[in-house]
């Protein structure tokens, strides 16, 4: 399987989607990363619903929170920028900006049943463990065995 990573570096969805749209291969899919959508000034739910859903092959679970300001301030800071915003920070999954119930509802509705990777542990293994427990609970809620 060949994967493209959705907004792997904070960039506008139009740029990423243009690249993805040029690749027509049955083994190509997108790794959906909702946190990086925020960093690119995009709404991760709108992006998933309107642009990415048909190509999502995997998901990268992460979360961010604002150190200061608003989402609009974050979008202004990130327009065209490379790297991570100074006004936001990685956070324990399930405690930040991402709405995991909405994300998983959308993914479930299109038959998603693939890998979900975890980005966490910046503040140690305790944080990583809490994120894993959160995701295990959500996964069993949306994809019961």
């Amino acid at each position: 399987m060949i994967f493209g990573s959705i907004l792997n570096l904070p960039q506008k969805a139009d740029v990423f989607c243009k690249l993805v749209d040029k690749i027509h291969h049955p083994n190509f899919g997108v790794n959906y990363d909702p946190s990086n959508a925020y960093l690119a000034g995009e709404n991760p739910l709108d992006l998933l619903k309107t642009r990415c859903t048909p190509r999502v092959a995997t998901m990268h679970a992460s979360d961010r929170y604002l150190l200061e300001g608003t989402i609009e301030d974050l979008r202004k800071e990130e327009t065209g920028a490379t790297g991570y915003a100074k006004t936001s920070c990685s956070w324990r999954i399930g405690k930040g900006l991402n709405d995991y119930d909405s994300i998983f509802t959308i993914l479930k509705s299109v038959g998603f049943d693939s890998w979900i990777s975890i980005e966490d542990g910046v503040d140690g293994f305790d944080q990583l463990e809490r994120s894993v427990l959160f995701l295990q609970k959500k996964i069993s809620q949306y994809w019961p065995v």
Side-chain angles (χ1 to χ4, degrees):
M1 181 71 69
I2 304 165
F3 296 104
S5 183
I6 186 77
L7 303 170
N8 198 26
L9 294 173
Q11 59 182 304
K12 290 291 186 189
D14 288 342
V15 173
F16 178 80
C17 290
K18 261 187 207 174
L19 292 170
V20 169
D21 289 344
K22 290 182 182 281
I23 301 170
H24 302 285
H25 191 281
N27 293 331
F28 179 82
V30 168
N31 179 43
Y32 174 68
D33 185 336
S35 291
N36 279 345
Y38 279 117
L39 295 176
E42 304 284 351
N43 178 315
L45 293 175
D46 289 345
L47 184 62
L48 179 60
K49 283 188 276 192
T50 63
R51 307 283 301 271
C52 297
T53 307
R55 303 294 293 266
V56 172
T58 60
M59 182 191 165
H60 185 65
S62 59
D63 228 331
R64 300 195 70 75
Y65 75 99
L66 296 174
L67 294 168
E68 59 186 52
T70 65
I71 292 290
E72 287 307 314
D73 295 333
L74 177 64
R75 288 185 177 134
K76 287 177 196 166
E77 181 180 346
E78 285 307 310
T79 15
T82 304
Y84 290 106
K86 294 170 188 68
T87 59
S88 73
C89 186
S90 290
W91 192 241
R92 189 171 100 214
I93 297 169
K95 294 292 184 181
L97 296 169
N98 288 314
D99 177 353
Y100 276 91
D101 285 313
S102 293
I103 290 168
F104 286 169
T105 296
I106 295 165
L107 290 175
K108 173 85 174 167
S109 75
V110 296
F112 177 86
D113 67 348
S114 189
W115 289 93
I116 299 173
S117 63
I118 298 174
E119 175 184 317
D120 206 342
V122 174
D123 294 325
F125 285 112
D126 186 51
Q127 178 189 31
L128 178 60
E129 180 181 25
R130 289 189 307 255
S131 292
V132 168
L133 291 172
F134 170 81
L135 286 170
Q136 285 175 327
K137 180 180 175 186
K138 287 295 174 191
I139 289 168
S140 67
Q141 177 184 346
Y142 287 89
W143 292 276
V145 179

